[in-house]
Amino acid sequence: SWRESLRGLCMSADFLYTIEVILNGLMAGVMYSLVALGFVLIFKASGIFNYAQGVMALFAALTLVGIQTGQIPFSHLINAIFGTNMHHFGWQVPTIIAILLTVGVMVLFAIIVERYILHHLVNQEPIILFMATIGLAYFMEGFGDIMWGSDIKTLDVGLPSGGSLWLEEYTLGWAAEGENYYGMYLDKLDMVASLVAIVLVVSLTIFSQYTKTGRALRAVADDHQAALSVGISLRTIWVIVWSIAGFVALVAGIMWGAKSGVQFSLSLIALKALPVLMLGGFTSIPGAIIGGLIIGVGEKLFEYSIGPLIGGATENWFAYVLALMFLVFRPQGLFGEKIIERV
C-alpha cells in the first residue's frame, strides 16, 4: 500500500515537523504579504507610504460584518442622542452581496480621500503626504468605532477553518517505524488565503505591467507634473489605486478577521507588513510576496529551532531584526529600485 511504500523513506519525525513548520511559515508569510500589497500599490502610484493601510483592512472587515449581520450604522450614537434601543435591522445579507456592497464602500472611501485630501496635496513633499495618511488612519479608526461599535465581531463568509484531517491521515504513515508522529497539521483557512493571494498578486502584476492604466500608475509615481502634461488624469489614477488598495485591504481583512475575529488590534497587522516591505522593496509587487514568505518561514523556523534555547516569543521581534539587517546592507530591498541622486 502507499503507507508501506512511504515507510521505506524512513523520514524522522523531526524532519517532518521541520517541513510542517516551513509550510506553515509560507502560509503565514502570504497573510503578511496581503497587507503589504496595499502599501506597494499606493507607493508605486503616488510615492505615498500609506500608514492607513492596516486601518483600511480593519474598516473593510467591520463594514462587511456590519452589512452581513444587518447592523444599524451609528446605532450607539443614535441611541445615545434619541434614547432609543436599536441595533439591527432584523435581516441577514448574503455573503456575496455583502462583499460587493463593502467593495462599493471602499471605492466611495477612495473617492472621498482623493477629493478632500490628496487633491489638495499634489506636488507636496512626501513627508506631508505621509503625515496626512497618519491622520487618516486615526480618523478611520475612530470613525469605524462610532459607526460599527468596538466589540469583537465574528466574521463568517463560509471559509473553511481548522486543520485538514485528510492531510493528517495522509501524512501519518510518512514517519519511520517507532517515531511519535501524528500527521502534518495545516490550517485550511491559511491554504485558502495562500491561493487567494497567489491569484491577487498574478492579477495585479499583469495589471501593473501590461495595461494602459497600470503604465499610467507608474508614470504618475515618477513625476506628477510630467504625467499631467501628457494627459493622464491624476485624480482618476489616485481614485483607481486607492480603490484597488481598498479591495486588497478587504481581502486581507476577511482572511485575518476570519482567523482571529474582527477587533481593533486588526489594524496592527500593518506593523508586521513593514519588515515585509523592507525586504521586498516598496515598489515591487512580487517583492511584497517574496518578502512575506521569507519573513513567514524565517520567524517560524527561528522560533522552532532557536526559540526554546532563548526563552521563546521570538516571533514578536525576529522580522524587525531581519528588516534592520536589510536596511543596513541593502536599503532598497531585494526587488526595490536603487535610487542614485547626483548632488
Side-chain angles (χ1 to χ4, degrees), residues 225-262:
Q225 288 295 347
L228 286 168
S229 68
V230 296
I232 295 173
S233 171
L234 195 62
R235 301 188 68 173
T236 303
I237 291 297
W238 275 357
V239 168
I240 290 171
V241 77
W242 278 76
S243 297
I244 296 172
F247 175 72
V248 172
L250 171 60
V251 174
I254 289 172
M255 298 305 172
W256 283 95
K259 191 177 180 69
S260 56
V262 180

Side-chain angles (χ1 to χ4, degrees), residues 1-314:
S1 67
W2 63 269
R3 287 179 185 270
E4 290 169 354
S5 61
L6 283 170
R7 284 186 196 281
L9 296 174
C10 295
M11 287 186 279
S12 70
D14 285 342
F15 176 76
L16 288 167
Y17 281 129
T18 303
I19 298 297
E20 182 181 329
V21 168
I22 291 171
L23 290 174
N24 277 294
L26 286 171
M27 292 189 293
V30 166
M31 298 284 271
Y32 299 150
S33 300
L34 275 175
V35 184
L37 266 178
F39 285 105
V40 170
L41 285 167
I42 290 179
F43 192 85
K44 275 175 73 73
S46 56
I48 303 173
F49 176 77
N50 179 25
Y51 185 84
Q53 187 66 32
V55 184
M56 284 169 65
L58 165 68
F59 184 78
L62 282 172
T63 303
L64 176 58
V65 174
I67 293 173
Q68 199 177 13
T69 58
Q71 185 179 342
I72 300 173
F74 307 105
S75 58
H76 296 286
L77 189 62
I78 293 169
N79 293 337
I81 293 173
F82 298 104
T84 53
N85 189 28
M86 301 184 301
H87 295 284
H88 292 83
F89 290 112
W91 63 61
Q92 297 281 325
V93 178
T95 300
I96 297 298
I97 296 174
I99 290 173
L100 291 174
L101 289 172
T102 306
V103 170
V105 170
M106 298 311 289
V107 171
L108 178 62
F109 164 77
I111 294 169
I112 292 170
V113 166
E114 189 283 325
R115 182 167 184 176
Y116 294 104
I117 300 175
L118 300 179
H119 178 58
H120 302 286
L121 298 175
V122 175
N123 283 329
Q124 293 292 334
E125 292 294 321
I127 187 63
I128 294 175
L129 292 163
F130 173 60
M131 294 300 289
T133 66
I134 292 178
L136 180 64
Y138 284 106
F139 170 78
M140 284 185 70
E141 194 162 339
F143 188 75
D145 190 356
I146 295 171
M147 189 173 183
W148 301 113
S150 58
D151 53 312
I152 299 174
K153 297 171 176 61
T154 303
L155 178 58
D156 182 14
V157 292
L159 293 174
S161 59
S164 171
L165 293 176
W166 174 85
L167 187 65
E168 286 185 35
E169 292 175 2
Y170 185 78
T171 56
L172 190 60
W174 287 15
E177 193 72 43
E179 293 273 4
N180 289 324
Y181 185 67
Y182 305 103
M184 195 171 289
Y185 180 88
L186 295 181
D187 192 278
K188 288 186 281 189
L189 177 60
D190 289 345
M191 294 182 197
V192 172
S194 301
L195 292 173
V196 169
I198 290 167
V199 171
L200 257 183
V201 79
V202 170
S203 304
L204 290 171
T205 303
I206 292 170
F207 171 77
S208 176
Q209 298 294 333
Y210 301 107
T211 65
K212 186 178 178 180
T213 306
R215 290 193 291 271
L217 295 183
R218 299 204 305 277
V220 168
D222 289 339
D223 192 318
H224 291 174
Q225 288 295 347
L228 286 168
S229 68
V230 296
I232 295 173
S233 171
L234 195 62
R235 301 188 68 173
T236 303
I237 291 297
W238 275 357
V239 168
I240 290 171
V241 77
W242 278 76
S243 297
I244 296 172
F247 175 72
V248 172
L250 171 60
V251 174
I254 289 172
M255 298 305 172
W256 283 95
K259 191 177 180 69
S260 56
V262 180
Q263 50 191 313
F264 277 76
S265 62
L266 193 66
S267 62
L268 300 177
I269 60 174
L271 297 177
K272 211 52 179 283
L274 293 179
V276 173
L277 293 166
M278 291 171 192
L279 261 69
F282 280 79
T283 57
S284 172
I285 292 174
I289 298 296
I290 301 298
L293 296 179
I294 291 172
I295 283 181
V297 173
E299 69 179 14
K300 296 289 185 187
L301 277 177
F302 193 83
E303 175 69 34
Y304 177 66
S305 57
I306 309 297
L309 304 176
I310 57 177
T314 62

